[in-house]
Each structure stands twice: as structure tokens, then as C-alpha cells.
Amino acid sequence: MRLIENPKTYKGRELETIFFRPMFVGPNAEQLGIRMMYNMPVPTTVQVWSPRHDVLRAYTSGWEGGKSAQRLQKQIELTKVKAEVGFSASDYFQQVYELIVGSADVNLDDLTGTELEKAETELFRAAIAESLRVMMWMGDTSSDSFNEFDGLLVRLYQYTQDGEEIPAFNCQNIPVTPDNILDILGGMWKAASPELKALKSEGNLAFFVTTDIYDAYEQYLDQCGADGAYTDLMSGRRELSYHGIKLIDMGISQYMPLHYNRRSTHCILTDRRNLILAVNTADYPGSEVRMWYNPDEMENRQRATFMVGTEILDETLLVYGQFNQA
């Protein structure tokens, strides 16, 4: 068996089209559940124009028009980051070969070629995607872990400390159980502003919840005495909704023990477009993905450098469920 010694480097347009864009465009971006911005100009600025709702006037002579639209603008702070992974040659081969073992034309004596390149690219890409998914929620530059950039949960805390009026529903005295889950979700909806409730018809509202809330709601549905509940209990549910609003599991509960200074239970009701993850590989000098073999350490290495940041566009268009500290 030969070593994987042919280095590969992705830069510029190739870096975008082969490596990063498949992660952040289409179905992969939709799985994140939030608004994804890729390779917007740096500094990345989000602008939202909303038309006025009171433009009608009585038909009289003269000009009574005024400001035609209201603009909300925010600049997303991007941080330079890198991802690095190292494997022993044998371990690396086993992981890569597992991805291509189903191909009939795999030649174990020749570890070069398109199939191998696709497999090792996918291996590294999946690792970066998972890291970004976790960091976009839990990132905290003041913490001992997950401290590469500030995530959305820290943004909520920062805006609260800065005096921003973020609507909140106090769940501290409500345990997360199937018997109380409707009180939590219903209380979140009641605490929402009229502006947020008005966005429900557009179909982009969502509850972003930790796994304990998601499981409690699913268990509540299992208890409902209906044929549909029995069928779902047997075959499972692809997704959960509360009054037409999707519940999205943030998938961070398994990382909470490593991040002790953050609450273990979270519930956010907002419009998906209000939460932003921005990634840039075009305007940062030196952005690249490199894969190579280090003969001194007998190790296959992978490295990616790029810029990333998160932002909450409008703090008033969300409700945050406040829970006791873990």
C-alpha cells in the first residue's frame, strides 16, 4: 500500500466551487436552519429594506409623499480562523477508503486519482461543516473552549448586557417535561412581539431548541390518543411543528458538558432569516484548503483558512426562553 503523498491545494475560484460552496448552498445550507451568507464583500453588511405601510393618501393636489422605505443595516464581524487535522498514514487511509469502498474501480495499490481526491475532500469538508454548525451556536471568545469566534447564543447575551430589549419568556420555574412543554412553547409565542407574529404567514418562523425540549415535545405527541400519534410512534417523525412553526434541534446538547459556563437548555423563537452565519473565502489573503503528507511525522495533514462570523439582524424579532443554569 502506497502512502498518500500527492499534495492538493484549493485556492481562489476552485476553493469556492469545489470545497466550500457545496457546504453552504442548497440543501446543506437549509439543514443549518438559519440564513447563510457566503462570500459577501468584506466588511459584510446586511441591509433590509421594508416598505412603508401608510403610503395611501386622499387624492388632493400637491405632494404628500415622504420616506418610501425603512432600512435596517448591520455589519457582521468576521474572524480569521483555520481548521487543521492530522492522521497517521494508516488511519487516514482507513477513513478515506471507507468512503470509496463501494466503488468497483478502487485500486488499493494506487491511492491517487479522482475517487480518492473526492473522498478525502469530503472527509475534511464534513469535519469543517460540523465544527461550524456547533460554533455558530456555542462560540464564545471569552471561554476556554469553542472560543474561535462568538456564536449566536453569546450574541444574545451580549445584546442583553448592552441594554438591548430582547423579548424573553421566563422558563426558570418550568421543568422541561412532556407535561409542561406546551406551557413553554405557548409562553414563547405569547411573549413574541406583534411584528414577529406577523411574519408567521411567510413560513420562516422556527423554534430553535436544545434536544431536551425537542424530545419532550415528541414524547407529548406520543401520548396523544390518535391514530396519527400511533403511526408516528412506530415510524418516527421527520420533523416537529407547533401550530405550524417548526422545531429545529440545535444539536449542541452533547457539547454542553465541555462548555460549562453556558446554560444547558435553550429555546429561541425567531424568523430563520434573522439569524446569520457568514463565511468568506474570497477576500482574505491566504484563504486556501491544503492537503499533504508529512514524511517526518509520517502523517497526512489537512488545513483550511477562511473567515467566519455570526450576527442577529434584529434583536426584537425573537423571543429567548430563559432557563436555569445547568
Side-chain angles (χ1 to χ4, degrees):
M1 183 180 71
R2 299 177 187 172
L3 298 176
I4 305 175
E5 296 187 359
N6 288 346
K8 284 172 286 296
T9 302
Y10 301 101
K11 293 183 178 181
R13 187 68 176 173
E14 190 179 52
L15 174 64
E16 174 182 345
T17 57
I18 295 179
F19 200 88
F20 277 96
R21 182 164 290 276
M23 282 195 291
F24 303 128
V25 177
N28 290 332
E30 294 176 2
Q31 290 176 5
L32 293 176
I34 69 172
R35 183 176 178 182
M36 180 68 220
M37 300 184 69
Y38 180 59
N39 271 359
M40 298 294 290
V42 176
T44 300
T45 302
V46 184
Q47 299 187 16
V48 177
W49 295 85
S50 58
R52 291 186 55 175
H53 61 275
D54 58 345
V55 296
L56 294 180
R57 299 289 187 272
Y59 184 77
T60 58
S61 60
W63 171 257
E64 297 185 40
K67 201 172 180 180
S68 60
Q70 298 175 342
R71 185 180 70 171
L72 176 65
Q73 176 175 301
K74 265 197 172 180
Q75 183 170 305
I76 303 176
E77 178 184 352
L78 296 182
T79 303
K80 298 176 182 178
V81 297
K82 66 177 181 178
E84 294 180 330
V85 180
F87 301 92
S88 68
S90 59
D91 291 341
Y92 187 72
F93 171 74
Q94 291 174 3
Q95 293 196 53
V96 171
Y97 179 70
E98 185 177 353
L99 297 178
I100 60 176
V101 68
S103 301
D105 56 349
V106 172
N107 184 356
L108 299 184
D109 293 326
D110 183 10
L111 300 182
T112 61
T114 304
E115 290 300 324
L116 175 61
E117 185 171 346
K118 288 181 179 179
E120 59 185 354
T121 298
E122 181 59 32
L123 181 68
F124 193 31
R125 187 162 52 198
I128 293 176
E130 174 63 9
S131 182
L132 282 176
R133 185 192 66 78
V134 175
M135 286 286 296
M136 79 177 185
W137 292 112
M138 297 184 61
D140 184 355
T141 54
S142 65
S143 175
D144 294 332
S145 59
F146 303 108
N147 55 10
E148 285 72 23
F149 62 93
D150 286 332
L152 295 168
L153 295 179
V154 169
R155 298 288 181 197
L156 283 172
Y157 176 78
Q158 290 173 343
Y159 290 135
T160 302
Q161 296 298 107
D162 292 341
E164 300 285 350
E165 295 184 2
I166 297 180
F169 172 61
N170 192 337
C171 309
Q172 293 184 2
N173 297 321
I174 303 178
V176 179
T177 66
D179 295 332
N180 296 323
I181 191 62
L182 292 188
D183 294 332
I184 294 176
L185 299 179
M188 296 280 291
W189 176 252
K190 290 179 182 178
S193 64
E195 292 78 12
L196 179 58
K197 291 181 177 179
L199 295 174
K200 182 179 180 181
S201 60
E202 298 183 16
N204 286 302
L205 295 191
F207 287 97
F208 294 93
V209 301
T210 44
T211 303
D212 53 350
I213 294 180
Y214 194 93
D215 288 346
Y217 186 53
E218 189 165 32
Q219 292 172 26
Y220 166 79
L221 295 177
D222 291 342
Q223 298 172 2
C224 296
D227 294 340
Y230 176 78
T231 301
D232 289 339
L233 181 61
M234 294 292 291
S235 58
R237 301 174 178 87
R238 298 185 61 183
E239 60 183 29
L240 302 183
S241 296
Y242 173 78
H243 290 181
I245 303 175
K246 288 185 178 181
L247 270 71
I248 299 176
D249 189 346
M250 291 188 281
I252 58 175
S253 297
Q254 66 270 35
Y255 301 104
M256 286 297 180
L258 305 175
H259 208 44
Y260 56 88
N261 62 336
R262 287 281 158 246
R263 299 175 186 271
S264 60
T265 298
H266 302 270
C267 185
I268 303 171
L269 169 61
T270 189
D271 191 294
R272 296 172 184 239
R273 299 165 294 185
N274 196 33
L275 306 180
I276 298 174
L277 173 67
V279 175
N280 190 287
T281 61
D283 297 325
Y284 170 37
S287 291
E288 67 175 9
V289 171
R290 184 184 297 271
M291 304 179 189
W292 74 100
Y293 176 72
N294 186 324
D296 295 333
E297 301 292 337
M298 298 182 65
E299 186 177 63
N300 285 92
R301 294 179 174 180
Q302 301 170 318
R303 175 189 292 141
T305 55
F306 53 96
M307 301 178 72
V308 63
T310 62
E311 188 55 87
I312 299 173
L313 186 57
D314 189 343
E315 301 85 23
T316 64
L317 291 181
L318 60 79
V319 180
Y320 178 48
Q322 295 185 341
F323 292 83
N324 283 325
Q325 199 83 350

